[in-house]
Amino acid sequence: MDVGDPDVAQVSTQPANQKGSEPRGGSNSLFQSLLFPLSVTQTHRDALRYLSHSLSAPIIATPVFVVLALLESATILSAILSVVFATIVPIVAIIGFARSQGLDYDIPEKRSRARPFGIAILSYLAGFAVLVMIRAPILLGGLMLAYFINTSAFFLITLTWKISVHAAGITGPLSFLVFKLGPAWGLLYLLVIPVGLIRVRLGQHTSLQVLAGAVLSAGLTWTQIIFLAPLIPA
């Protein structure tokens, strides 16, 4: 889940050659220069920002839940409720709060982060309870529970360190698809690469923060799947 990665300032209106036009120094300079043009205009940065928002955890939740619902032969109601609690409620909370406070959708200020994160976490918990009540397939309920657990953990981490919630929002839910479809589908994890590159290029994360988000989310999710697997009907 991603209600906006922390400590990220809104995109500046300065010319591109003053901010973001050149890879910054340090361990990411070579990484960025090999994969992106050395000169990025403000228009390019804006396009990357919109693409970044479209790849956030609440957005990614929709296709993952829909595919998982199809694989599990779930009812249409189960699929719809999953999307409502995992995507619609968190996104409405993020957009509404950001607009009311005049903030970027990344919610860059630490003191402002608790409310949208809290709403998303409660939405995931409510979604899990509803899916259990309507007897939705175990994997659907398990994925919703994973969103609740992982988002809670990442919220606590983001209070002190800028771990990438975007990267976490890719590897976590995809772990359920890999579990369902088999190890060969582990190639789906490669989808985290373009997401990570965008976040690094925007200057919102280092490659270490992206890697940490991806690995920690996958690890947490697989731990939950291991406990969940015995409950799944053969």
Side-chain angles (χ1 to χ4, degrees):
M1 174 277 170
D2 177 12
V3 298
D5 287 338
D7 302 332
V8 178
Q10 298 186 34
V11 171
S12 172
T13 56
Q14 296 176 355
N17 63 356
Q18 295 183 26
K19 182 176 181 180
S21 59
E22 300 290 339
R24 292 184 294 180
S27 61
N28 289 313
S29 297
L30 179 61
F31 175 71
Q32 292 181 3
S33 63
L34 290 175
L35 294 164
F36 295 95
L38 292 180
S39 179
V40 177
T41 67
Q42 185 64 37
T43 299
H44 292 152
R45 287 182 60 82
D46 289 342
L48 288 176
R49 286 181 64 247
Y50 289 127
L51 183 57
S52 176
H53 291 321
S54 71
L55 294 173
S56 63
I59 299 295
I60 296 298
T62 290
V64 174
F65 268 107
V66 169
V67 171
L68 197 59
L70 291 173
L71 293 173
E72 290 289 283
S73 300
T75 64
I76 294 178
L77 178 61
S78 295
I80 291 175
L81 289 174
S82 297
V83 172
V84 167
F85 286 103
T87 297
I88 296 178
V89 173
I91 287 179
V92 169
I94 295 167
I95 293 176
F97 181 77
R99 288 183 175 178
S100 68
Q101 301 296 313
L103 299 173
D104 183 81
Y105 294 149
D106 279 322
I107 315 293
E109 299 180 11
K110 287 183 178 180
R111 66 177 183 274
S112 302
R113 209 171 299 147
R115 187 182 301 176
F117 254 110
I119 293 174
I121 290 171
L122 290 176
S123 181
Y124 299 140
L125 182 59
F128 170 68
V130 169
L131 290 176
V132 170
M133 286 190 294
I134 66 173
R135 298 181 182 276
I138 290 176
L139 280 184
L140 279 186
L143 178 54
M144 190 69 74
L145 181 61
Y147 265 90
F148 166 71
I149 295 173
N150 292 3
T151 302
S152 299
F154 273 78
F155 170 59
L156 295 177
I157 294 173
T158 59
L159 294 176
T160 57
W161 191 55
K162 292 173 57 179
I163 192 169
S164 176
V165 184
H166 271 75
I170 298 293
T171 59
L174 287 184
S175 295
F176 272 79
L177 291 184
V178 174
F179 170 74
K180 178 63 179 179
L181 297 171
W185 288 85
L187 291 174
L188 287 173
Y189 286 128
L190 294 178
L191 293 174
V192 77
I193 294 177
V195 175
L197 294 181
I198 291 171
R199 303 300 287 176
V200 170
R201 184 50 176 166
L202 286 173
Q204 296 176 342
H205 284 296
T206 65
S207 53
L208 176 60
Q209 290 164 349
V210 170
L211 180 63
V215 172
L216 179 58
S217 180
L220 282 174
T221 305
W222 275 107
T223 299
Q224 295 159 45
I225 290 174
I226 290 172
F227 283 99
L228 185 69
L231 303 177
I232 300 173

